[in-house]
Amino acid sequence: MTGMPIQVDVFDDFHLHGASAPEWNQRYLQLSAGAMRSSLTEASAGDVHVFRKWMSERVVQQGCLPPGSICFALLNGSAQGTPRVQGVELRDDRLFILRGGEEFTIQRPRGMELLAFTFRTETFLQLLDERPLPAPARALLSRPILDAPPDATQQLRAHLLDALRRSQAFGGDAATPDALFESLHGVLTDAGGAHDTVGSASAGFIVAQCHRIVVNSSGAAPSVEALCRRLRTSRRSLQDSFRQVADTTPVHYLRGLRLNLVRSRLMSTTAAQLSVSQAATDQGFEHLSHFAERYKALFGELPSETSRMEAGGRSNPTGSRIDPTQKKTVG
């Protein structure tokens, strides 16, 4: 099979990182303070796409897998905190499965790297017909997260990294889609269900609902007390949910969310279309000096320094794509 060169995207703003794959409709919320750095390494051959995504800061990543695809993802390496997918802890021995049209939320701690690959659904089903799974294993494909033996997930992880290290993706037998499917087949055959507690799932739901409420509100954000009343939960439960899922407090998370919404609006408009003060006021920030201080503490720059759209709708990108004809070693 003819391969294609590896492509490496390097970004210093996560909003631009999300725009690199518009078909995934991804949104990013930065929670930890600091200048954001991220990288995306990807390779494709036929109906298979392998990618490796790393981010320096604590981020909430949301999106939706494009229809007609199925995605499998693994944690790669250590991170400064507990990664969670759909509210469930993502460990070295767990495989995350996402089907086309499904939305997802990933709580990414600092330095987390995700290793993933997608098949076109039709191609994946054809491979399953040629190499059937035992009935219990095939039933697991309907679950979002699977527990698997560490040696099986490690073999799959090594196989994916091998594919990305090649100057030509899938250039050898070890990196063909068929061989990749064989590694996945082994994981699925030996996998079991994830066993997180009911409390963990409930915490993920509470955080997701608070996120949705704030995103859909205008003006002053709902208070913690108002969120507790709306979700019919105690303040203690709300606090514990955010600590467990996002490793922060509700106030810090939701204020960070509103700051991210301001930043996103600034980057998608010109200065003539939207002033900084109006963008801040629209998200309920009444004291502009306090807003500017918190904005700089989170993003490492004042809102007046954030890149804006140019006249004519052109953006000022701060990310870069390494020329795929220039071979780059991917460690």
Side-chain angles (χ1 to χ4, degrees):
M1 175 178 292
T2 301
M4 64 176 292
I6 289 176
Q7 293 180 336
V8 181
D9 289 332
V10 180
F11 299 93
D12 56 16
D13 193 289
F14 65 95
H15 288 287
L16 296 171
H17 192 138
S20 67
E23 67 277 9
W24 284 64
N25 190 29
Q26 296 190 90
R27 290 91 60 199
Y28 294 89
L29 162 63
Q30 181 178 340
L31 291 179
S32 62
M36 181 70 190
R37 303 185 310 281
S38 62
S39 64
L40 173 63
T41 306
E42 54 187 336
S44 300
D47 296 326
V48 181
H49 179 215
V50 179
F51 56 96
R52 178 181 183 181
K53 180 180 290 188
W54 171 86
M55 292 185 165
S56 64
E57 299 302 323
R58 171 171 281 279
V59 170
V60 180
Q61 177 184 350
Q62 297 176 310
C64 181
L65 183 66
S69 303
I70 185 168
C71 179
F72 302 89
L74 293 161
L75 186 65
N76 188 45
S78 60
Q80 299 177 40
T82 302
R84 291 185 178 272
V85 178
Q86 313 297 53
V88 179
E89 181 180 350
L90 184 60
R91 304 191 308 246
D92 286 342
D93 59 349
R94 282 185 170 169
L95 181 70
F96 168 44
I97 305 177
L98 189 68
R99 287 149 290 273
E102 290 184 347
E103 295 186 349
F104 62 89
T105 298
I106 305 174
Q107 299 280 348
R108 306 180 66 113
R110 279 179 165 171
M112 173 185 160
E113 183 168 80
L114 197 66
L115 191 60
F117 59 107
T118 62
F119 283 96
R120 194 163 64 94
T121 304
E122 183 179 342
T123 299
F124 182 72
L125 293 176
Q126 288 174 352
L127 290 169
L128 278 180
D129 288 340
E130 297 169 4
R131 182 83 162 82
L133 284 166
R138 180 148 186 164
L140 294 176
L141 286 170
S142 63
R143 298 189 182 184
I145 292 184
L146 307 180
D147 290 330
D151 57 343
T153 54
Q154 183 55 34
Q155 181 179 2
L156 178 58
R157 187 178 292 110
H159 197 153
L160 294 167
L161 290 172
D162 181 64
L164 290 174
R165 285 192 183 100
R166 296 170 181 268
S167 60
Q168 291 288 324
F170 308 105
D173 292 340
T176 63
D178 287 348
L180 182 57
F181 177 80
E182 283 300 312
S183 292
L184 175 62
H185 192 283
V187 173
L188 294 171
T189 299
D190 297 333
H195 300 293
D196 261 36
T197 64
V198 173
S200 175
S202 176
F205 174 80
I206 288 174
V207 172
Q209 287 297 99
C210 290
H211 188 115
R212 180 186 60 80
I213 291 169
V214 171
V215 167
N216 292 330
S217 65
S218 58
S223 65
V224 170
E225 290 75 14
L227 290 170
C228 289
R229 289 194 299 270
R230 185 159 177 178
L231 297 177
R232 298 181 180 179
T233 190
S234 67
R235 187 184 183 97
R236 176 66 179 272
S237 293
L238 195 76
Q239 295 276 359
D240 289 348
S241 295
F242 276 88
R243 282 294 184 191
Q244 180 180 342
V245 174
D247 193 28
T248 189
T249 65
V251 170
H252 183 271
Y253 181 103
L254 298 173
R255 184 172 61 213
L257 172 55
R258 293 188 293 128
L259 287 168
N260 277 264
L261 291 173
V262 172
R263 185 173 178 81
S264 181
R265 286 195 69 196
L266 292 177
M267 296 186 70
S268 61
T269 57
T270 66
Q273 292 172 329
L274 180 70
S275 67
V276 169
S277 60
Q278 185 61 56
T281 302
D282 288 348
Q283 285 301 324
F285 293 104
E286 298 178 355
H287 303 288
L288 295 184
S289 60
H290 293 169
F291 157 75
E293 290 173 1
R294 288 167 174 165
Y295 189 102
K296 183 174 183 179
L298 183 58
F299 302 118
E301 65 181 18
L302 290 169
S304 59
E305 298 170 336
T306 294
S307 296
R308 305 295 300 270
M309 293 285 289
E310 297 177 354
R314 295 185 303 277
S315 61
N316 291 309
T318 55
S320 63
R321 166 162 287 179
I322 295 175
D323 187 344
T325 62
Q326 298 178 5
K327 304 300 185 293
K328 178 178 176 68
T329 300
V330 180

